[in-house]
């Protein structure tokens, strides 16, 4: 008896709609086994996670805080996916955006002008975009695989970021702790009364609108869609493919950079060695789940924001919140597996050929 | 003859279209049964139902008189049915023998590779199929790959073999070989169904012919009791002219010229060697030749998709040698590419997106950096109507259109957006007789309006009907130029085979597809 895959003539539409949902459910089931193995009742753990993430006004607001950078990074990763470019470097681009914006904030500790926040936004967009342009340029000009370059540049970016915090930008009044001085209040993004939800939410929604409009109604958006579907047809139509690749990486990196700005200016208010629990990596999963659709991206980001926040509640059980990472990994894994099952079907077969 | 297959009341609906509307069809054992019909008539769909690729919404299939449940290609194989699609499904880095045996649940790694190859070779030989079991797929020509597909079905024990437009991509020589193989298979008791748009082929090969129109089978006739005129009338529902009205050529200024052109193929071998030609406005120049002799490279060099290693290309007197495709397009050059799924369209995107591929960056379809979607939609709707592209809507992904309708879409787009020069490579490949005639008419109209057209085709009848003069290409070189007269066929045939100045000799049979 053996099991094998048989190609489906038509990919099953029902299955491909259900696949993401199934992936999440299956991942939760597998996670339950892991939780049970560590001696906790999985049902209670999950309930605690759910309550922690969505169970109260405060929980919801915290979930929303995490959702903001997730939306921005996922939109960036998603637009690259649309052009069949794999930007695995959102994490690094987020750090570079934070670096650029943080540099501005630190340069104007007394800054109170209306211009400071816009300047920081601009700096983060440019910082992230420039970092994104490195793999973009290598891809466009030399056809270097962008998956590897963008991934490896994450480590470079984070180390660069930390160098400044441990070194030149360390707060002289900080008792040697690796922090920069806190930003002046002029560099803080306004928040919704009583919560930590900051103006970055508006940026995120605007970004989704922008991408939707870009893909649907602009010439370059159309080019991106054609290049993503069939680069040969794009070449035949005389499209500037290297140019589009550069643009996509710039947008992709810029959005991730903006996410970094939101974190430091809206939440942390200073620079510290770690400012992201892997938003840029989670974004890859979200973009995939949301099928690169800007609106779905917002919804899925909210779910994953909840997963992150809910994960903190696990500490009450003596469980590490890295369980969340395991769950995320399982979801991605099952999602990719599910993708195969929408195109192939499993067959059992005994004996004779 | 026994009835081998009986399809009854086959009904298949796709979103927005009824592809098969209660089709009855019976196919006899050992016959070659041809399926004819306009583009989008439902031929491919009907055969996909038989091969288990689509499951019908209603209807039954009987094999040897017994009801058969065919729900997947696997079931079809069990029932002895195999299908060769227009787009082959082979794994390029694998050998022929590996491809043939792939997916069979045999412990392949235990089997000696030599033995496997010998076994596959034996099956091939018994049907007169010439192919080296050891060769890798990527080394094979299109015709050879098709043989591998046929072999694959035979090796799996197919008694009923379906071929979807098998000759569309073959050279005349390969068509002859294929037909010989098919006849041999029929003689050995196999049952064959062949879809084709080429009436002479159907007349020469088949025993019976079924004609489909708009999802229904409207007639089945014995081949020996019919003729192409009747077939065409049945298919199209109108009298075909089979004769084009071609005005006398009145060539104007030179639009395209190239001289001493050299270029390499994808494999890095010389594909064009020192060729020169000029095309003037109000003129159609044909390039004849067996596929793979540099035609594709020539079209690509002119349109900027491939670089010339030396030589010059001029469009309207402007040097465009090794310009970008964009620059060439901006000179008013249109291109109907050879490969419609590869370059001509983005199959996952919709009809609208594909129709705007060439015009989206010019007025009035652009609006600064934006698209003028209203205008584009109007334009696309007009083209769909004018060129009779049958599609449920402008939002339908192109991959769901029938083969001929994809070709019509490309033609519509290119004809609508060009002004000066058209490079047309196999413009009517896959089109039904009616649509072919329309396209021919359209190209002639463009010619009288002042266009210059370079027509690259393997179809000598098409070349003779449309061109004003014909150049023959062989191994990347021009063998010579002849006026487009029917009495030049023999000369052209010889030159296509690489022979020059031996016109007095008898013509080797089969330079053209069998008449
Ligand atoms: N998978 C599909 N989904 C939706 N519509 C389809 C699908 N396959 C075919 N169609 C539609 O069904 C109709 C019949 O298509 P089919 O491919 O059977 O035509 P055909 O007779 O083979 O035409 P051609 O000669 O152009 O190849 C067409 O209108 C086509 O657009
Ligand atoms: Mg077809």
């Amino acid at each position: 008896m053996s099991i094998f895959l048989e190609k489906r003539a038509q990919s099953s539409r029902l299955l491909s709609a259900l696949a993401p949902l199934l992936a999440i459910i299956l991942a939760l089931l597998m996670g339950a086994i892991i939780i049970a193995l560590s001696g906790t009742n999985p049902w209670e753990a999950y309930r605690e996670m759910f309550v922690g993430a969505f169970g109260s006004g405060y929980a919801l607001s915290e979930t929303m805080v995490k959702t903001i950078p997730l939306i921005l990074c996922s939109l960036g990763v998603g637009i690259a996916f649309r052009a069949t470019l794999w930007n695995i470097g959102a994490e690094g681009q987020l750090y570079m955006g934070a670096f650029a914006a943080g540099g501005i904030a630190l340069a104007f500790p007394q800054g109170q002008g209306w211009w400071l926040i816009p300047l920081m936004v601009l700096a983060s967009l440019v910082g992230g975009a420039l970092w994104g342009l490195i793999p973009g340029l290598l891809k466009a000009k030399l056809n270097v695989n962008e998956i590897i370059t963008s991934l490896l540049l994450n480590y470079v970016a984070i180390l660069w970021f930390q160098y400044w915090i441990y070194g030149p930008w360390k707060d002289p009044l900080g008792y040697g702790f690796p922090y920069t001085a806190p930003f002046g209040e002029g560099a803080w993004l306004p928040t919704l009364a009583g919560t930590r939800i900051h103006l970055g939410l508006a940026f995120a929604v605007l970004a989704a609108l922008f991408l939707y409009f870009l893909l649907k109604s602009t010439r370059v958006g159309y080019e991106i869609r054609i290049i993503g579907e069939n680069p040969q047809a794009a070449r035949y139509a005389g499209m500037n493919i290297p140019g589009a690749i550069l643009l996509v990486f710039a947008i992709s990196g810029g959005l991730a950079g903006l996410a970094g700005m939101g974190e430091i200016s809206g939440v942390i208010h200073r620079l510290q060695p770690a400012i992201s629990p892997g938003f840029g990596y989670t974004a890859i999963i979200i973009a995939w789940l949301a099928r690169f659709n800007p609106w779905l991206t917002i919804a899925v980001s909210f779910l994953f924001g909840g997963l992150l926040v809910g994960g903190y509640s696990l500490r009450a059980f003596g469980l590490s919140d890295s369980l969340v990472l395991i769950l995320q990994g399982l979801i991605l894994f099952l999602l990719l597996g599910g993708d195969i099952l929408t195109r192939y079907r499993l067959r059992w077969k005994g004996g004779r050929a | 003859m026994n009835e081998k297959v009986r399809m009854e009341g086959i009904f298949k609906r796709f979103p927005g279209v009824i592809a098969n509307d209660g089709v009855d069809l019976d196919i006899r054992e050992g016959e070659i049964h041809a399926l004819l019909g306009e583009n989008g008539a439902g031929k491919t769909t009907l055969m996909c139902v038989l091969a288990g690729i689509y499951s019908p919404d209603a209807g039954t299939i009987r094999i040897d008189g017994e009801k058969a449940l065919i729900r997947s290609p696997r079931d079809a194989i069990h029932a002895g049915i195999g299908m060769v699609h227009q787009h082959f499904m082979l794994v390029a880095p694998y050998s022929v023998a590996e491809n043939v045996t792939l997916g069979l649940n045999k412990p392949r790694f235990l089997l000696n590779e030599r033995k496997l190859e010998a076994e596959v070779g034996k099956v091939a030989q018994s049907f007169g199929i010439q192919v080296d079991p050891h060769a890798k797929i990527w080394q094979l020509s299109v015709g050879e790959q098709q043989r591998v597909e046929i072999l694959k079905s035979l090796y799996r024990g197919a008694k009923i073999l379906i071929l979807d437009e098998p000759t569309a991509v073959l050279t005349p020589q390969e068509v002859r070989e294929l037909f010989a193989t098919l006849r041999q298979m029929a003689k050995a008791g196999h049952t064959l169904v062949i879809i084709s748009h080429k009436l002479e082929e159907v007349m020469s090969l088949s025993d019976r012919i079924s004609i489909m129109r708009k999802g229904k089978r409207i007639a089945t006739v014995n081949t020996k009791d019919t003729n192409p005129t009747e077939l065409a009338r049945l298919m199209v529902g109108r009298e075909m002219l089979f004769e084009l009205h071609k005005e006398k050529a009145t060539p104007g200024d030179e639009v395209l010229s190239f001289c001493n052109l050299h270029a390499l193929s994808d494999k890095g071998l010389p594909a064009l060697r020192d060729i020169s030609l000029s095309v003037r406005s109000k003129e159609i120049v044909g390039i004849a030749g067996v596929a793979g002799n540099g035609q594709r490279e020539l079209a690509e060099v002119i349109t900027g998709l491939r670089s010339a290693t030396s030589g010059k290309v001029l469009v309207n007197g402007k040097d465009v040698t090794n310009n970008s495709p964009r620059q060439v397009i901006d000179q008013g050059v249109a291109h109907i590419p050879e490969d419609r799924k590869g370059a001509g369209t983005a199959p996952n995107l919709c009809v609208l997106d594909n129709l705007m591929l060439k015009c989206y960056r010019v007025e009035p379809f652009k609006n600064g950096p934006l698209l003028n979607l209203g205008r584009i939609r109007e334009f696309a709707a007009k083209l769909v109507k004018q060129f009779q592209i049958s599609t449920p809507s402008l939002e339908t992904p192109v991959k769901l259109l029938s083969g001929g309708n994809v070709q019509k879409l490309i033609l519509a787009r290119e004809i609508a957006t060009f002004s000066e020069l058209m490079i047309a490579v196999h413009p009517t490949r896959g089109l039904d007789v009616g649509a072919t005639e329309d396209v021919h008419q359209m190209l002639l109209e463009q010619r009288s309006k002042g266009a210059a057209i370079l027509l690259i085709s393997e179809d000598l009848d098409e070349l003779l009907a449309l061109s004003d003069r014909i150049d023959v290409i062989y191994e990347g070189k021009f063998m010579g130029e002849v006026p487009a007269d029917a009495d030049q066929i023999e000369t052209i045939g010889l030159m296509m085979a690489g022979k020059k100045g031996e016109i007095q000799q008898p013509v080797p049979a089969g330079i053209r597809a069998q008449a």
Side-chain angles (χ1 to χ4, degrees):
Chain A
M1 159 126 169
S2 61
I3 303 177
F4 60 97
L5 289 173
E6 180 179 286
K7 199 164 169 52
R8 286 173 195 267
Q10 291 164 289
S11 62
S12 155
R13 207 172 297 169
L14 183 71
L15 263 185
S16 61
L18 285 179
L21 222 66
L22 276 173
I24 293 177
I25 293 172
L26 268 176
L28 288 175
L29 284 176
M30 293 182 177
I33 298 173
I34 298 172
I35 298 174
L37 282 177
S38 61
T40 308
N41 179 339
W43 170 243
E44 273 179 25
Y46 280 150
R47 202 184 49 197
E48 201 58 35
M49 272 180 82
F50 186 83
V51 171
F54 309 111
S56 65
Y58 171 75
L60 279 172
S61 80
E62 280 304 292
T63 293
M64 191 46 92
V65 171
K66 295 284 186 246
T67 304
I68 295 167
L70 285 176
I71 296 175
L72 285 166
C73 290
S74 316
L75 288 173
V77 173
I79 177 94
F81 280 171
R82 270 294 180 98
T84 29
L85 294 169
W86 308 94
N87 178 15
I88 312 298
E91 188 77 358
Q93 291 144 15
L94 178 148
Y95 272 89
M96 285 319 241
F99 167 77
I104 302 273
L106 293 173
F108 301 99
Q110 252 54 62
Q112 291 292 344
W114 60 268
W115 46 266
L116 186 55
I117 295 278
L119 191 62
M120 285 170 69
V121 167
L122 192 69
S124 70
L125 286 171
V126 171
L130 286 178
W131 203 246
L133 277 172
I134 300 174
L137 263 171
L138 288 169
K139 171 78 179 182
K141 299 288 173 208
L142 303 171
N143 203 17
V144 178
N145 185 321
E146 76 279 12
I147 300 181
I148 297 169
T149 48
S150 63
L151 174 68
L152 293 180
L153 281 168
N154 286 342
Y155 303 105
V156 181
I158 294 171
L159 289 170
W160 166 261
F161 184 81
Q162 293 176 344
Y163 161 79
W164 286 86
I165 295 165
Y166 285 103
W169 286 355
K170 187 152 78 178
D171 185 0
L173 308 174
Y175 306 103
F177 282 111
Y179 294 127
T180 64
F183 299 160
E185 287 200 21
W188 292 18
L189 280 176
T191 53
L192 211 64
T195 70
R196 297 204 297 158
I197 301 174
H198 53 83
L199 193 63
L201 183 59
F203 299 164
V205 173
L206 281 177
L209 270 170
F210 165 73
L211 287 193
Y212 177 77
F213 178 75
L214 182 86
L215 286 173
K216 189 169 158 25
S217 307
T218 69
R219 284 191 282 145
V220 69
Y222 172 69
E223 290 178 349
I224 289 170
R225 287 192 288 131
I226 296 281
I227 292 169
E229 285 296 337
N230 185 355
Q232 246 183 301
R235 211 168 94 75
Y236 156 78
M239 294 177 182
N240 177 358
I241 299 179
I245 292 178
L246 291 179
L247 180 77
V248 165
F249 265 99
I251 295 176
S252 188
L255 290 175
L258 186 57
M261 183 271 174
E263 286 308 282
I264 57 160
S265 164
V267 181
I268 307 171
H269 302 143
R270 59 165 21 138
L271 299 186
Q272 62 191 38
I275 58 168
S276 153
F279 292 130
Y281 295 114
T282 307
I284 299 166
I285 308 172
I286 298 174
W288 195 275
L289 269 169
R291 305 271 155 86
F292 329 133
N293 170 321
W295 307 119
L296 264 181
T297 299
I298 295 184
V300 180
S301 296
F302 185 67
L303 272 179
F304 273 72
L307 193 61
L308 268 176
V309 173
Y312 298 137
S313 330
L314 289 177
R315 290 186 186 146
F317 297 91
L319 285 170
S320 156
D321 47 2
S322 53
L323 181 71
V324 170
L325 293 181
I326 296 180
L327 282 177
Q328 283 186 9
L330 281 171
I331 292 174
L332 182 63
F333 179 78
L334 292 166
L335 203 58
L336 298 177
D339 233 42
I340 292 178
L341 286 187
T342 58
R343 279 180 288 127
Y344 295 81
R345 76 176 104 226
L346 272 184
R347 283 277 197 153
W348 276 260
K349 173 107 193 147
R352 212 178 54 85
Chain B
M1 270 196 262
N2 291 334
E3 190 176 271
K4 184 74 182 166
V5 179
R6 168 175 284 271
M7 302 179 85
E8 275 172 348
I10 301 295
F11 192 90
K12 178 71 186 171
R13 178 203 294 275
F14 291 114
V17 276
I18 296 171
N20 286 161
D21 189 2
V23 182
D24 299 328
L25 181 70
D26 70 282
I27 303 163
R28 297 176 190 160
E29 183 153 20
E31 76 168 338
I32 302 184
H33 196 115
L35 211 50
L36 273 179
E38 285 182 288
N39 296 125
K43 307 177 293 292
T44 301
T45 306
L46 186 68
M47 287 303 112
C48 283
V49 166
L50 183 55
I53 292 161
Y54 296 144
S55 48
D57 302 324
T60 53
I61 298 174
R62 286 173 196 281
I63 310 276
D64 295 325
E66 277 180 46
K67 210 165 155 182
L69 255 190
I70 300 175
R71 287 227 205 77
S72 72
R74 227 184 148 69
D75 294 345
I77 293 277
H78 271 289
I81 301 166
M83 180 160 175
V84 177
H85 297 267
Q86 238 183 307
H87 293 272
F88 307 142
M89 303 175 178
L90 300 170
V91 191
Y94 283 21
S95 76
V96 170
E98 282 170 317
N99 265 283
V100 167
T101 53
L102 205 69
L104 293 176
N105 270 35
K106 289 201 177 164
R108 273 200 308 129
F109 37 92
L110 295 180
L111 267 180
N112 179 334
E113 209 168 314
R114 278 277 138 70
K115 216 171 113 198
L116 206 68
E117 282 169 12
E119 213 178 292
V120 170
K122 218 164 72 196
V123 176
Q125 216 166 29
S126 65
F127 290 99
I129 299 176
Q130 286 182 15
V131 59
D132 171 12
H134 184 65
K136 303 269 187 271
I137 295 299
W138 60 266
Q139 297 170 317
L140 304 182
S141 73
V142 179
E144 288 168 317
Q145 293 186 23
Q146 186 178 63
R147 282 177 229 159
V148 179
E149 285 281 6
I150 295 174
L151 195 54
K152 215 163 114 184
S153 287
L154 291 175
Y155 190 82
R156 285 162 166 69
K159 290 281 173 221
I160 304 161
L161 190 66
I162 305 161
L163 298 115
D164 193 353
E165 298 189 36
T167 59
V169 289
L170 299 185
T171 66
Q173 171 68 21
E174 287 171 326
V175 170
R176 271 196 319 141
E177 286 167 14
L178 172 71
F179 284 7
T181 306
L182 297 184
R183 288 201 182 94
Q184 193 171 338
M185 286 171 58
K187 215 176 269 164
H190 284 71
T191 304
L192 294 153
V193 183
I194 168 170
I195 301 178
S196 175
H197 288 298
K198 297 183 185 160
L199 299 181
E200 298 92 62
E201 280 181 15
V202 166
M203 289 298 298
S204 83
L205 181 71
S206 66
D207 299 311
R208 290 198 305 154
I209 303 169
S210 289
I211 293 112
M212 291 189 67
R213 198 198 306 166
K214 303 208 160 81
K216 294 200 166 86
R217 183 186 60 90
I218 53 164
T220 297
V221 292
N222 287 320
T223 308
K224 60 179 187 321
D225 303 332
T226 188
N227 56 59
T229 318
E230 186 193 24
L231 291 176
R233 188 167 36 81
L234 284 169
M235 268 171 69
V236 194
R238 65 172 153 109
E239 218 48 70
M240 295 289 307
L241 300 171
F242 284 126
E243 205 148 289
L244 286 166
H245 174 64
K246 187 162 114 187
E247 290 163 25
K248 234 185 123 38
T250 50
D253 297 335
E254 187 175 279
V255 175
L256 167 73
S257 74
F258 49 87
C259 51
N260 308 111
L261 210 52
H262 288 259
L264 300 178
S265 71
D266 287 340
K267 291 179 182 154
L269 303 170
L272 297 179
R273 312 169 199 225
D274 200 38
I275 60 176
S276 309
L277 183 72
S278 81
V279 185
R280 292 182 287 174
S281 76
K282 298 197 167 198
E283 182 180 48
I284 299 180
V285 176
I287 305 276
V290 175
N293 275 288
Q295 293 96 321
R296 177 167 150 222
E297 287 83 359
L298 177 59
E300 289 180 350
V301 167
I302 297 171
T303 52
L305 291 164
R306 181 181 297 271
S307 51
T309 46
S310 69
K312 249 191 175 50
V313 183
L314 303 178
V315 173
N316 283 327
K318 188 170 174 289
D319 188 348
V320 297
T321 321
N322 293 341
N323 276 12
S324 69
R326 170 75 191 269
Q327 286 166 310
V328 179
I329 292 170
D330 287 348
Q331 289 296 312
V333 180
H335 178 198
I336 298 167
E338 179 177 18
D339 180 3
R340 58 190 179 213
K341 293 230 160 109
T345 56
N348 285 329
L349 296 183
C350 66
V351 171
L352 181 75
D353 281 339
N354 276 286
L355 279 172
M356 67 196 259
L357 193 63
K358 286 285 181 71
C359 71
Y360 74 97
R361 58 176 158 241
V362 297
E363 301 284 1
F365 305 110
K366 72 162 187 183
N367 183 2
L370 304 184
L371 297 167
N372 188 338
L373 284 170
R375 273 291 171 75
I376 292 173
R377 178 165 279 281
E378 258 169 50
F379 167 78
K382 204 182 84 198
L383 289 186
V384 166
K385 199 157 151 232
Q386 186 186 341
F387 287 78
Q388 295 168 355
I389 304 171
S390 91
T391 171
S393 75
L394 291 178
E395 278 71 35
T396 305
V398 163
K399 68 175 172 197
L400 300 184
L401 299 189
S402 80
N405 280 300
V406 177
Q407 181 71 5
K408 283 190 196 171
L409 181 150
I410 295 174
L411 276 162
R413 182 183 71 210
E414 296 303 313
I415 290 181
T417 49
F418 97 116
S419 49
E420 303 278 339
L421 172 66
M422 161 85 82
I423 313 292
V425 189
H426 309 308
T428 56
R429 180 181 277 178
L431 293 188
D432 64 48
V433 282
T436 300
E437 198 173 271
D438 291 345
V439 168
H440 286 170
Q441 209 66 59
M442 224 145 10
L443 289 175
L444 286 176
E445 254 166 50
Q446 296 297 333
R447 162 180 173 266
S448 41
K449 279 191 203 151
I453 298 173
L454 185 68
L455 174 67
I456 300 179
S457 177
E458 282 176 291
D459 184 342
L460 282 189
D461 297 322
E462 174 168 279
L463 283 168
L464 287 170
L466 295 180
S467 315
D468 297 310
R469 50 199 169 92
I470 297 175
D471 280 76
V472 183
I473 193 167
Y474 176 74
E475 294 190 341
K477 277 190 246 164
F478 280 150
M479 300 299 289
E481 184 173 285
V482 295
D485 284 332
D487 48 5
Q488 296 291 337
I489 282 194
E490 299 182 1
T491 318
I492 297 174
L494 276 173
M495 292 199 290
M496 280 169 73
K499 301 195 180 89
K500 218 182 334 195
E502 301 166 36
I503 302 156
Q504 268 56 286
Q505 287 181 6
V507 188
I511 293 299
R512 301 175 60 208
Q514 295 187 333

